[in-house]
Amino acid sequence: MRPPSFPSYRARRLRNPLLRDLIAETSLEPGKLIAPLFVTLGGRKKLEVPSMPGVFRLSVEEAAAEAKLLAKLGVGGVLLFGIPPRKDLTGSGAFAGNGVVQQALKAVKRSVKDLLVMTDVCLCEYTAHGHCGIVTNGDVDNDATLEVLARTALSHARAGADFVAPSAMMDGQVGLIRAALDREGFSSVGIMGYSAKYASALYGPFREAVESAPKFGDRRGYQMDPRNAEEALREVALDIQEGADIVMVKPAISSLDLIRAVKRRFHWPTAAFSVSGEYALIKAAAARGWVEEKRLVLELLTSIRRAGADLIITYYAKQLAQWLRKRGGS
Ligand code: PBG
Ligand code: ZN
C-alpha cells in the first residue's frame, strides 16, 4: 500500500488528545507485569537493597503479605528468589524441603489464591562460589548441574509453584526439568525459560541483593555474548523444543531487537526481564532530578511491550500498578 502524502495526509490529525488512547497500538497494564521478590530466612523483616531503592529483602511472612498486596493491585504474578542462610559447594539450599523458596511458596499460596507464583531455578544464590552450577576443576559442570536444577524445580513444584523459571543457562535445562516434572505428576506446572540471557553488566544490583557475585571468574562460560543475536534465536528455538511454555529475553532495554525477532519468528509467549541494573539506572538518575521517573518508566516499559513482549518482569511492577491506578491509562 502506498500511503497518501501531505497535504491529504496529515499525521498530526491522529495526535489529537481525544484520539490518542483510541488509536494507541500498545498497552501497559499491571496484569502484564511480574514482580520479582527477594525472600530471606531470619534477620530483619524488611531490608532495603542499597543499590535498588524501594526494593527489599523480605522475610517469608512479609513476602506473603507483599504478594497479597500485589494481587490486589492487579499485578500479574510474582517471581521468587531465595537468599539461603548458608551456602555450600553443591547449592543444597536450593532444593531443601524447608528451604527459603519452598517456605515462601507455601506462605504465599496460603495468603493469596489468585496470583501466579513463579520461582527462579538456579544455584548461584546457594553455592559458596556464586556460580550458577556445580563447579568441577574450576569450570561449571553442565550435566552435573542439570540434576540439581531438576531436583530444585521439583521441590518448588511440590511446595506449590505454578511456574518454574530456570536461569542457569545450562544446556538442556528446560528439557530435563520438563521430564522430571512430568514424571512426578506435575504436568500442569509450567516452565518459563530464561532462553536468551546475556552476560550483562546490568545484573550487579541483583547480585548485591542476593549475594551471588561469583567468587572467581565470571559467567561468560554459560551466559550469552551480547554481540550475538542469531545465537539468541537458536537458544529460544531449543527452549521451545525442550518444552518451554514461555520464553524470555534478558536484559530488556538492551535487547529490544531480540524481543521483536523472537516474537516475530516463534509466535510464542514472550517475556522480557527488565533487570536490576535497568531499575538502578533509572532510580539513580531520578534521585538527582535528572529524569522524570514516572514518565521514563512508562516510556521504557511501553517500549518493551511495543517491541513484542507479552509480559515484563520488572522491579517497578508495584509502583507502576499504583501509578496506573491513580492516572488510569498511560
Ligand atoms: C540467577 C539470576 C540472575 C538474574 C536472574 N536470575 C543473576 C545472574 O545471572 O547473575 C538477574 C536479575 C536481575 O539483575 O534483576 N542466575
Ligand atoms: Zn544463577
Side-chain angles (χ1 to χ4, degrees), residues 36 38 52 81 120 122-125 132 167-168 194 197 202-207 212 219 223 250 273-277 315:
F38 297 125
M52 302 180 76
F81 291 91
D120 185 86
C122 199
L123 302 187
C124 50
E125 296 99 316
C132 297
S167 70
Y194 279 72
K197 174 175 175 178
L202 289 165
Y203 309 150
F206 171 94
R207 293 177 190 170
S212 72
R219 302 210 202 290
Q223 297 182 350
K250 172 189 172 202
F273 197 145
S274 182
V275 299
S276 58
Y315 299 94

Side-chain angles (χ1 to χ4, degrees), residues 37-180:
L37 293 182
F38 297 125
V39 193
T40 171
L41 292 176
R44 293 257 296 280
K45 282 183 153 180
K46 240 184 134 172
L47 193 64
E48 195 167 39
V49 179
S51 52
M52 302 180 76
V55 172
F56 297 83
R57 292 162 59 144
L58 305 169
S59 67
V60 167
E61 299 73 32
E62 286 291 327
E66 184 70 3
K68 193 171 191 166
L69 180 58
L70 288 163
K72 218 191 237 152
L73 286 164
V75 170
V78 291
L79 175 59
L80 304 181
F81 291 91
I83 303 146
R86 273 173 309 279
K87 304 183 190 242
D88 58 26
L89 289 178
T90 56
S92 64
F95 52 84
N98 65 343
V100 54
V101 168
Q102 291 78 0
Q103 288 190 38
L105 277 164
K106 289 177 197 155
V108 168
K109 280 293 176 188
R110 259 198 310 274
S111 101
V112 49
K113 300 281 169 252
D114 53 350
L115 180 71
L116 183 83
V117 183
M118 299 180 145
T119 58
D120 185 86
V121 174
C122 199
L123 302 187
C124 50
E125 296 99 316
Y126 304 90
T127 51
H129 45 64
H131 276 288
C132 297
I134 305 298
V135 172
T136 323
N137 301 328
D139 192 23
V140 175
D141 182 336
N142 193 86
D143 298 12
T145 302
L146 290 183
E147 302 295 328
V148 188
L149 293 174
R151 212 169 150 184
T152 301
L154 259 183
S155 78
H156 291 177
R158 288 196 189 98
D162 299 304
F163 250 79
V164 293
S167 70
M169 288 299 281
M170 293 299 122
D171 293 323
Q173 60 183 10
V174 169
L176 207 88
I177 288 172
R178 183 71 271 159

Side-chain angles (χ1 to χ4, degrees), residues 281-325:
L281 291 175
I282 303 171
K283 280 287 176 193
R288 286 162 180 75
W290 292 348
V291 295
E292 283 177 58
E293 184 180 24
K294 187 158 89 180
R295 269 190 65 196
L296 180 58
V297 171
L298 286 168
E299 179 180 333
L300 293 179
L301 294 181
T302 299
S303 304
I304 297 166
R305 290 267 295 131
R306 191 188 65 223
D310 299 297
L311 56 146
I312 306 173
I313 299 133
T314 169
Y315 299 94
Y316 269 108
K318 181 181 178 183
Q319 177 73 79
L320 194 91
Q322 287 164 337
W323 284 334
L324 293 176
R325 183 176 251 208

